[in-house]
Amino acid sequence: MPEQRRGRRIAMTSEEVDAFLAEQHTCRVATVGRDGPHATPLWYAWHGGALWLTSVVRSLRWADLRHDPRIAVVVDAGTAYGELRGVELRGRVEVVGEVPRTGEPVPELDGPERLFADRYTGGTVVHDGRHAWLRLVPDRITSWDFRKLV
C-alpha cells in the first residue's frame, strides 16, 4: 500500500489506525451507482487488516457495489478543529459467504461475525437472511489526527 504523502505530520501510524478503527462504531460508505454517488452510514468490523461490512442485499448500496465494487469509507471522530481525527479507506469490496447470509459455516467470517456481534448485538451472531458480508482490503488508507498539531 502506498505511503500517505500529504499530511504526513498528522497521519496516524498503522498501530494508531488499528486502535482507532477498533474504537469507533460507525463508518460512512460511499458507492457509485448509475445515478451517481451514494453515501450511507453503516456499522463495521475491522479485522485482519480488512474492513468488514454487512449490507442489506436489497439496498441501493448493494446494487451499486454489485455493479461497481469500488468503495470509499470514512470513519471519523471529534468536534472541535483540534480534536478531528479519522481514516479513509479505499478499494474494492468482495462478497464473502452466501447471499443473503443464513448461517452456512464460513470460516473466514468467524472473526468478523464474532467481533460484530460483541460490538453491536449483545454477543449474538445474527443471520437474518437479509444481509450479506462484504470485505474491503484497502488499496489506500489516508488518516489524520489534528491532535498531533498541538
Side-chain angles (χ1 to χ4, degrees), residues 12-28 44 46 51 73-78 83-89 119-120 141-147:
M12 295 182 196
T13 66
S14 59
E15 293 80 15
E16 289 169 331
V17 167
D18 287 341
F20 180 77
L21 292 174
E23 170 187 301
Q24 300 304 311
H25 286 264
T26 305
C27 67
R28 289 155 190 85
Y44 69 92
W46 177 247
L51 193 76
V73 179
V74 171
V75 180
D76 62 337
E83 301 170 344
L84 298 177
R85 58 198 177 115
V87 176
E88 178 193 33
L89 307 108
R119 289 182 77 178
Y120 303 112
I141 296 177
T142 305
S143 65
W144 57 95
D145 186 345
F146 286 14
R147 299 173 307 172

Side-chain angles (χ1 to χ4, degrees), residues 51-69:
L51 193 76
W52 294 83
L53 304 164
T54 181
S55 176
V56 173
V57 299
R58 299 188 82 191
S59 67
L60 178 56
R61 172 185 47 254
W62 187 267
D64 288 350
L65 291 169
R66 297 308 295 155
H67 174 73
D68 183 344

